């Protein structure tokens, strides 16, 4: 670098810039002895197996959820049917325990007054 003498600014700080740049280039130079990393076939197979396991587990979970939902639907239908039957039986019980029916049965069948 050419040295310019200017009284307003000191360029001496930049005199060694070329040397510092050369040293930086040497510092970050690739090592020719270093071998590029090879991906292991066993490692790739292990990752593939792990991915397959996770996907299989997710599919199994979805199937279980689907079967549980269908079971829930069947149970809800059975509950609705049983609730309807319960209402029917309660009305039949209320009809049979009506006081006029009880009095009539007592007088006619049992001979009570």
């Amino acid at each position: 670098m050419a040295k310019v003498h200017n009284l307003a600014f000191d360029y001496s700080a930049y005199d060694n810039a070329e040397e510092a740049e050369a040293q930086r280039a040497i510092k970050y130079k690739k090592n020719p002895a270093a071998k590029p990393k090879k991906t292991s076939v066993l490692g790739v197979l292990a990752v593939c197996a792990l991915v397959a396991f996770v996907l299989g587990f997710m599919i199994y979970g979805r199937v279980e959820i689907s079967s549980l939902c269908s079971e829930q639907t069947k149970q809800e239908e059975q509950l609705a049917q049983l609730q309807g039957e319960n209402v029917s039986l309660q009305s039949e019980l209320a009809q049979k325990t009506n006081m006029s029916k009880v009095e009539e049965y007592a007088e006619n069948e049992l001979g009570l007054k």
Side-chain angles (χ1 to χ4, degrees), residues 74-89:
K74 288 178 186 177
Q75 294 293 328
E76 286 174 350
E77 289 172 358
Q78 185 179 6
L79 176 65
Q81 178 186 2
L82 290 173
Q83 284 175 339
E85 188 177 332
N86 187 26
V87 168
S88 173
L89 289 173

Side-chain angles (χ1 to χ4, degrees), residues 23-51:
Q23 285 181 355
R24 245 185 275 133
I26 292 172
K27 185 176 182 181
Y28 293 110
K29 188 176 179 182
K30 288 187 178 181
N31 186 357
K35 295 180 182 177
K37 291 184 179 179
K38 293 182 181 178
T39 53
S40 170
V41 174
L42 186 61
V44 171
L45 288 177
V47 169
C48 289
L50 180 65
V51 168

Side-chain angles (χ1 to χ4, degrees), residues 1 14-29:
M1 182 173 214
Y14 298 105
D15 286 343
N16 294 331
E18 291 176 3
E19 292 175 16
E21 195 173 313
Q23 285 181 355
R24 245 185 275 133
I26 292 172
K27 185 176 182 181
Y28 293 110
K29 188 176 179 182

